[in-house]
Amino acid sequence: MTNSTLPLPPRNAPTWSSRLTFILAATGSAVGLGNIWKFPYITGENGGGAFVLVYLLCILLAGIPVMIAEVLLGKQGRSSPVFAVQRLALEAGRSRHWRWLGALGVVAGVLILSYYSVIAGWALAYLPKMLAGDFVGIAGDGSSAIFKSHLARPAVLLGWHSLFMVMTMAVVIAGVTRGLGRAVEFLMPVLFVLLLILLGFAIAEGEFMQAVRYLFSFDNAAALTGKSVLIALGHAFFTLSIGMGAIMAYGSYMPPAAPVARTVWVVAVMDTCVALVAGLAIFPIVFASPDLDPASGPGLLFVSLPVAFGGMPAGVLFGTLFFALVSVAAWTSSISLIEPAVAWLVDSGRARRWQAGVILGVLCWAIGVGSVLSFNDWQDWHLLGGFNWFELSDFLTANLMLPLGGILMAIFVGHLYSTQAVRKALDIEGWLYRLWHFVLRWVSPVLVAVVLVYGLIGVFT
Ligand code: PHE
């Protein structure tokens, strides 16, 4: 071994018992706060329909093609992201510095989890509130007041953030492939059914047609700026869990015969449906309550849905169940956020799995304290670009690091890795393969780069 080649860990054995478990684990990662909490509120902040259209285009032209590439990298590399990319780069005769692509993802995962856990903590906190009937018969202003007083108590937020972090690390330490598939298999369908119940309520009681118009027409297209387009693009990566190695790490446990492209397609379609249904359930309620504002930001889910639960029969039950499921959806995503970092520490021999879990848990928790305070004491403390700590953690990761990771993955798989190996490993042929390959090589990286540059100019000028 020379200095230029670091020792590579042994290859991961396939561990997902079937294609279905991989689909479920990947869906568990993809479907989370991004779909239910983030998508509705950023749609509201960016004017609705035009934003949704740009987001859907980003999913099609960059999200799905890059997701296929990322799963492929994991499946072929058979290691944690840092080493998977390094191994494939060396095999393809490229620089070992490609491992920095994996490292970028490790950092992004830590940063995302730091604030993701804070928001997941809100969902946990809403469980006892729902159960106690705090929202029964409440209107928009009452619900906003409850949310505001929740945010005003940093110690309470910190407690829930800590609990969520412990929950995440407990599963991570036990090993991701054990038990996770089972849980997701059962809980994801229940979450979906609950969203459909909410949708039914929104259709019956809310301003449903106004919401449809808001989400799918261009009435507010003027609200779409360069920054909005960047947010839509960043969210396409965020919601699919791509650009930072989460889905690559999961791909590395895939059985060799499992079909990558078809699986990715299924996951991406499910993920998009959950986001759209969440939007269609939330906005009718927002529009039916004169004191709720679609552009009210990160609290949107937490102020609007309790109004719906407060007004429906058995709302206490459904409301509690809903926030329980949102917490679980966040949980299955948070595990995948930290898996690349944990696997890297373990594979490189720097720590055992439990040690890696503890170290990273403490690190994410500590960075997350800044996000807890961003909603109260540090609210007006603006850092770079006028963002507070929470906003900056979100912006740097979702809108900068994930798209950057995505460009690099597209370039690596599209231009530098052996075309034959890619072709052999994929389950698509003929024109479909050629279409994917063309889009991955030329459309996705160029599109992402252009949006990134314009968006950043828009934000910092
Ligand atoms: N996709 C998850 C969500 O929508 C978040 C996530 C991002 C998970 C990146 C893993 C990696 O909530």
Side-chain angles (χ1 to χ4, degrees):
M1 194 192 343
T2 65
N3 272 344
S4 63
T5 47
L6 288 176
L8 283 168
R11 287 168 192 260
N12 287 342
T15 350
W16 302 119
S17 42
S18 65
R19 174 184 174 213
L20 185 66
T21 6
F22 175 75
I23 293 191
L24 291 169
T27 310
S29 167
V31 174
L33 295 174
N35 310 60
I36 304 165
W37 159 75
K38 194 174 179 190
F39 171 72
Y41 98 74
I42 56 176
T43 299
E45 283 182 334
N46 291 283
F51 178 84
V52 174
L53 179 71
V54 174
Y55 158 74
L56 292 176
L57 283 176
C58 290
I59 293 270
L60 268 182
L61 296 176
I64 294 177
V66 170
M67 193 170 179
I68 293 177
E70 184 172 340
V71 175
L72 197 78
L73 284 173
K75 191 174 176 226
Q76 297 298 101
R78 301 224 76 83
S79 294
S80 59
V82 177
F83 292 111
V85 178
Q86 188 182 345
R87 168 173 282 142
L88 296 179
L90 292 177
E91 274 173 19
R94 309 291 172 183
S95 162
R96 70 192 169 86
H97 289 303
W98 274 97
R99 72 174 189 275
W100 290 104
L101 165 58
L104 177 75
V106 166
V107 176
V110 167
L111 266 179
I112 297 178
L113 182 58
S114 78
Y115 72 84
Y116 202 85
S117 164
V118 174
I119 311 295
W122 297 357
L124 286 178
Y126 263 54
L127 281 172
K129 285 192 205 302
M130 277 287 159
L131 200 60
D134 288 5
F135 297 98
V136 175
I138 211 158
D141 50 357
S143 176
S144 302
I146 293 181
F147 183 65
K148 275 207 192 96
S149 75
H150 174 62
L151 289 192
R153 295 182 2 230
V156 176
L157 299 186
L158 203 60
W160 291 108
H161 164 51
S162 313
L163 175 64
F164 187 80
M165 199 58 89
V166 169
M167 284 165 56
T168 299
M169 291 309 158
V171 178
V172 167
I173 290 170
V176 178
T177 49
R178 265 191 269 157
L180 181 65
R182 277 285 144 68
V184 174
E185 196 167 339
F186 167 69
L187 293 164
M188 285 293 137
V190 182
L191 176 68
F192 203 66
V193 169
L194 229 93
L195 273 175
L196 291 178
I197 294 178
L198 266 174
L199 181 65
F201 178 85
I203 294 174
E205 304 284 330
E207 293 293 334
F208 188 67
M209 284 327 289
Q210 200 182 334
V212 170
R213 208 191 148 101
Y214 183 75
L215 287 174
F216 301 109
S217 82
F218 296 130
D219 295 356
N220 282 330
L224 200 76
T225 58
K227 184 180 168 193
S228 315
V229 176
L230 176 58
I231 293 175
L233 174 82
H235 188 64
F237 283 83
F238 185 89
T239 190
L240 294 176
S241 303
I242 58 175
M244 48 77 54
I247 231 62
M248 196 192 304
Y250 278 13
S252 74
Y253 302 121
M254 224 176 171
V260 173
R262 264 175 295 164
T263 312
V264 164
W265 181 252
V266 172
V267 175
V269 168
M270 283 199 282
D271 184 78
T272 309
C273 288
V274 173
L276 292 176
V277 172
L280 285 172
I282 288 176
F283 285 108
I285 298 158
V286 173
F287 290 131
S289 326
D291 30 44
L292 293 184
D293 171 14
S296 61
L300 187 65
L301 170 80
F302 294 87
V303 293
S304 62
L305 288 191
V307 175
F309 290 121
M312 69 169 73
V316 168
L317 176 73
F318 284 134
T320 311
L321 197 59
F322 178 78
F323 281 100
L325 289 164
V326 170
S327 308
V328 173
W331 196 10
T332 54
S333 301
S334 65
I335 293 159
S336 72
L337 275 166
I338 205 61
E339 179 60 18
V342 171
W344 167 67
L345 279 181
V346 173
D347 280 356
S348 61
R350 286 182 170 83
R352 293 162 192 252
R353 212 173 161 88
W354 72 265
Q355 292 165 327
V358 172
I359 296 168
L360 291 163
V362 170
L363 180 68
C364 293
W365 179 87
I367 303 174
V369 173
S371 288
V372 164
L373 297 175
S374 299
F375 294 97
N376 36 67
D377 296 359
W378 291 2
Q379 201 160 18
D380 300 316
W381 186 44
H382 294 296
L383 305 152
L384 202 63
F387 295 117
N388 66 29
W389 186 290
F390 157 74
E391 291 163 341
L392 190 66
S393 312
D394 179 34
F395 187 83
L396 279 183
T397 50
N399 301 337
L400 204 70
M401 296 168 99
L402 301 188
L404 203 61
I407 295 183
L408 293 174
M409 287 175 195
I411 293 177
F412 186 82
V413 174
H415 294 273
L416 303 178
Y417 192 59
S418 142
T419 316
Q420 265 161 333
V422 169
R423 199 178 203 134
K424 243 180 84 191
L426 274 190
D427 52 318
I428 40 174
E429 289 163 358
W431 68 270
L432 201 57
Y433 171 81
R434 285 197 298 276
L435 178 67
W436 167 76
H437 205 230
F438 177 80
V439 173
L440 184 76
R441 281 166 69 94
W442 305 113
V443 181
S444 316
V446 175
L447 175 88
V448 178
V450 170
V451 172
L452 205 56
V453 171
Y454 274 95
L456 289 178
I457 293 175
V459 172
F460 292 106
T461 53

